Amino acid sequence: MRKLVALPVLSADALSSVAYGPEAMLAVLVLAGVAGLSRAFPVAGAIVLLMLAVGVSYRQTIRAYPHGGGSYIVASANLGPVPGLMAAAGLMTDYVLTVAVSIASGVAAITSALPSVVPAAVPLGVGVIVLLLVGNLRGIRQAGALFAAPTYLFVVAMFALVAAGLVDAAGQGFRPHPAPPTHATEAVGLLLIMRAFSSGATAMTGIEAISNAVPAFRPVEWRNARTTLSWMVGLLIVMFAGIVVLIHLTGVVPRPQETVLSQLARQSFGPGGMYVFIQAATAAVLLLAANTAYNDFPRVLSLLARDDYAPRVFMRLGDRLAYSNGILLLSLASALVLVAFGGQTAALIPLYAVGVFLAFTLSQAGMVVHWWRLRDRHWRKSLLFNAVGALLSGVVLVTAGISKFTAGAWVAVVAVVLFLVVTTRIHAHYASARAALRLHPHAIELPASAVLGPSPAPIPPAPAASRPRRPGTGRSDEEGEELPEEVHHLSVVALAGLDLAGMRTLAYAASLRQPVLVVHISLSEEEARRFRDYWALWGDHLPLETILSPYRAVVAPLVRYVETLHRLYPDLTLTVLLPEIVTRHRRHQLLHNRTAARLRRALRPLSKIVITTVPFHLP
């Protein structure tokens, strides 16, 4: 991507957070009345410094990981598997809440302009999630001007709003309007300031997106990514600070039925076209920010599945080259969160900071270890930047966890703990299954040639049009075999790997004493070459066909291959044999693929095709 396209596409989440970050900070300070609101500038100043520090830290991450360095990858590589899983837990929580918070804020922008739709806010939000689900399942991707436009329009709207507000304030000598009388329910204290700081810091969500997508840039990728990150952080700081200054000058405070941005826009432009433009741009960029999670959540889940920490079904790409199962899970989780919290942005914010800054902290701590181990040129400077980023992010994490625990942060903490428990148990099951399936020395003995039966090369039959019809049946003899000797077999064994389950399937196929053909779906050239080497080591006693499927699809290439065999040899009965893992506990069965069932559904319309599974029971 060009930088002009990458900036809006990858920055939508971060830049759109100024729509709710300053308001979230203000919503806490207003609890202490005028005394609390007077602390807005110092708290906002601390948040701006945090933005700058974390932005500089991620510049170091981009330099160190030019192929993309997400929090899970960085933390796992440098801190170990458990911190890596904790970072992944933070990311997954962040992505779910990005959808929920962005949509709740986007709907709030709409209801601020159209108060009559307030009662339908939650159904409207769920409807937007359904639209995002359908669109992403159909393969919609962030690309080009279509997705860049909402972010640029939002930036223009915010700069126009800040400029108009400052012009109005200049005409009055920059004298701030007093805030309306508010009843203080809390005293100004450290806990209140901590809560306000952690709430306002949610304006930094999505700041790591560019470091995850470095390969998407034009060459030189890492340099263009760093430049784009700098522009993003600069825009974020200017817009955040500008909104806070306007709030101070106008005396605006949060109201239940209208967002702070809506109030500022009304004061500056009235209810006319410019107000509608600002609200529409805000709603559009927030919905785009929600859509960014649909790219990142399934990708992280697929990485976890690759490392055996999540069910392998999440590595499967759908027909539109999207991780369909991850998209479904994200939609379900975000819809449940949105409904459970009544679609209220203020209620969702306490959950947000924990996941965001857990991932930030572990990623930056991992970078500190990275530079300490590498010690290349300028490593001390990079280590210092990342150490400061890790320290400040850790402070926000602890602050949010303590000050917002009873307000909802406990939900995020519990979610992280449950995530660790579930993923480690999944990993333990896969490790146990791998040990049970591992080949033993006696398992690779060369089979006796008599066991293999006749030559595996089938003889092409006569063309289908010339096939005779059976008397009285009125149909071809395609499925008219009545005697055993009329059935001519070809066994097609589909193998994912050479393990005990695969060897048992091969033995069963060979025992039928019919021609056998082995098919292996490889996800890369390297994997295909490795499998052929293993096959040669085993003895290369059966013909092997390797099919390259770089998009991780397994069933579709296998279906196409079987269909091709069926067209070439319509008089043969094709028996497709697949190993099937049978677990002791039913809950573990969900961790293993259901290829046979999907293959049956796909091939059911074709005649003379039999799908057989050969079970292998795990101890």
Side-chain angles (χ1 to χ4, degrees):
M1 286 189 290
R2 293 181 298 119
K3 287 180 285 187
L4 284 176
V5 174
L7 176 63
V9 168
L10 299 175
S11 303
D13 187 8
L15 297 181
S16 68
S17 60
V18 301
Y20 51 80
E23 183 170 357
M25 176 190 73
L26 216 63
V28 176
L29 293 175
V30 77
L31 297 176
V34 176
L37 293 173
S38 67
R39 305 307 198 275
F41 270 174
V43 174
I47 293 171
V48 167
L49 288 176
L50 179 64
M51 290 176 180
L52 188 60
V54 173
V56 172
S57 297
Y58 272 104
R59 281 177 57 88
Q60 315 313 310
T61 302
I62 290 171
R63 182 166 73 89
Y65 286 86
H67 300 294
S71 297
Y72 171 63
I73 294 174
V74 174
S76 297
N78 298 290
L79 301 177
V82 173
L85 287 176
M86 292 176 66
L91 284 174
M92 307 294 270
T93 306
D94 177 20
Y95 295 141
V96 170
L97 288 169
T98 291
V99 176
V101 171
S102 296
I103 289 178
S105 299
V107 170
I110 296 172
T111 57
S112 295
L114 302 171
S116 59
V117 301
V118 169
V122 173
L124 185 60
V126 173
V128 172
I129 291 176
V130 172
L131 288 176
L132 290 174
L133 167 64
V134 173
N136 281 278
L137 287 178
R138 291 184 63 82
I140 292 176
R141 284 291 178 268
Q142 292 181 343
L146 177 64
F147 289 98
T151 307
Y152 278 131
L153 289 175
F154 177 72
V155 171
V156 169
M158 291 301 100
F159 273 85
L161 177 61
V162 172
L166 292 177
V167 168
D168 290 343
Q172 302 173 24
F174 290 103
R175 289 189 303 272
H177 288 272
T182 54
H183 177 65
T185 58
E186 295 185 28
V188 177
L190 179 61
L191 189 60
L192 181 84
I193 299 299
M194 290 170 62
R195 284 164 51 202
F197 175 67
S198 58
S199 293
T202 55
M204 295 173 55
T205 58
I207 206 170
E208 82 288 349
I210 291 176
S211 69
N212 296 338
V214 178
F217 284 82
R218 287 183 175 180
V220 176
E221 291 86 350
W222 67 269
R223 185 174 291 118
N224 288 328
R226 280 170 62 119
T227 302
T228 306
L229 176 64
S230 300
W231 274 101
M232 181 188 75
V233 173
L235 287 172
L236 179 61
I237 290 174
V238 170
M239 290 194 296
F240 179 86
I243 296 298
V244 172
V245 169
L246 282 193
I247 291 171
H248 172 73
L249 292 173
T250 58
V252 166
V253 296
R255 297 204 316 231
Q257 301 300 326
E258 187 174 15
T259 65
V260 166
L261 276 186
S262 175
Q263 295 180 58
L264 292 173
R266 281 188 194 275
Q267 287 197 16
S268 296
F269 300 107
M274 195 62 188
Y275 169 78
V276 173
F277 167 71
I278 290 174
Q279 292 303 103
T282 302
V285 77
L286 285 165
L287 297 183
L288 175 58
N291 193 60
T292 60
Y294 278 89
N295 290 322
D296 294 331
F297 181 95
R299 180 184 57 82
V300 174
L301 198 53
S302 72
L303 292 176
L304 288 166
R306 180 201 65 186
D307 296 338
D308 289 344
Y309 287 108
R312 290 169 183 161
V313 69
F314 290 113
M315 285 196 296
R316 184 194 306 158
L317 285 169
D319 294 336
R320 301 300 181 104
L321 303 184
Y323 292 108
S324 305
N325 295 302
I327 290 170
L328 287 167
L329 179 60
L330 173 61
S331 299
L332 178 61
S334 56
L336 288 175
V337 170
L338 186 73
V339 172
F341 286 84
Q344 297 296 315
T345 307
L348 291 165
I349 290 295
L351 285 72
Y352 214 175
V354 172
V356 172
F357 284 96
L358 176 61
F360 282 0
T361 303
L362 291 171
S363 174
Q364 298 308 305
M367 288 305 304
V368 171
V369 175
H370 171 83
W371 296 122
W372 180 258
R373 290 173 176 171
L374 188 61
R375 302 196 184 196
D376 64 352
R377 186 183 179 191
H378 303 310
W379 71 271
R380 288 184 176 85
K381 181 182 70 174
S382 298
L383 186 148
L384 177 61
F385 286 146
N386 285 124
V388 171
L391 178 63
L392 294 179
S393 298
V395 168
V396 179
L397 172 64
V398 173
T399 299
I402 294 174
S403 63
K404 292 177 173 291
F405 188 81
T406 56
W410 66 270
V411 177
V413 173
V414 170
V416 170
V417 173
L418 287 177
F419 181 89
L420 288 174
V421 171
V422 171
T423 51
T424 51
R425 289 177 69 88
I426 288 173
H427 190 74
H429 170 77
Y430 279 133
S432 174
R434 193 161 46 248
L437 290 167
R438 187 175 295 120
L439 289 176
H440 303 299
H442 70 273
I444 60 172
E445 292 179 359
L446 304 183
S449 58
V451 176
L452 299 179
S455 168
I459 300 174
S466 66
R467 277 179 267 158
R469 295 181 180 273
R470 287 188 174 273
T473 63
R475 62 182 176 87
S476 71
D477 66 343
E478 188 173 344
E479 289 184 318
E481 299 94 339
E482 296 176 356
L483 299 174
E485 57 268 20
E486 294 181 343
V487 180
H488 302 288
H489 286 280
L490 173 62
S491 297
V492 180
V493 180
L495 290 183
L498 275 180
D499 52 22
L500 288 180
M503 296 301 294
R504 175 174 168 76
T505 305
L506 285 174
Y508 176 80
S511 71
L512 299 177
R513 298 183 180 275
Q514 298 293 333
V516 178
L517 175 65
V518 181
V519 178
H520 171 69
I521 309 295
S522 297
L523 305 183
S524 65
E525 288 284 2
E526 181 183 354
E527 181 184 334
R529 184 166 52 254
R530 186 166 58 246
F531 188 88
R532 285 192 291 266
D533 291 342
Y534 292 155
W535 192 254
L537 179 64
W538 177 67
D540 197 13
H541 292 278
L542 295 172
L544 171 68
E545 185 75 33
T546 57
I547 302 172
L548 192 62
S549 178
Y551 299 111
R552 294 189 175 276
V554 173
V555 173
L558 188 57
V559 167
R560 286 194 295 270
Y561 186 79
V562 173
E563 287 176 341
T564 301
L565 284 178
H566 180 266
R567 285 196 303 270
L568 290 174
Y569 310 113
D571 282 358
L572 287 177
T573 295
L574 300 179
T575 301
V576 182
L577 297 104
L578 303 101
E580 181 183 18
I581 304 299
V582 181
T583 60
R584 178 179 298 180
H585 303 290
R586 182 171 295 180
R587 65 180 182 273
H588 289 151
Q589 200 64 47
L590 298 173
L591 303 179
H592 299 275
N593 64 51
R594 306 286 295 173
T595 303
R598 295 168 61 206
L599 202 59
R600 276 194 190 93
R601 288 194 298 270
L603 295 175
R604 187 175 289 128
L606 298 180
S607 60
K608 301 182 72 171
I609 294 180
V610 180
I611 310 297
T612 300
T613 58
V614 180
F616 182 90
H617 293 77
L618 294 178

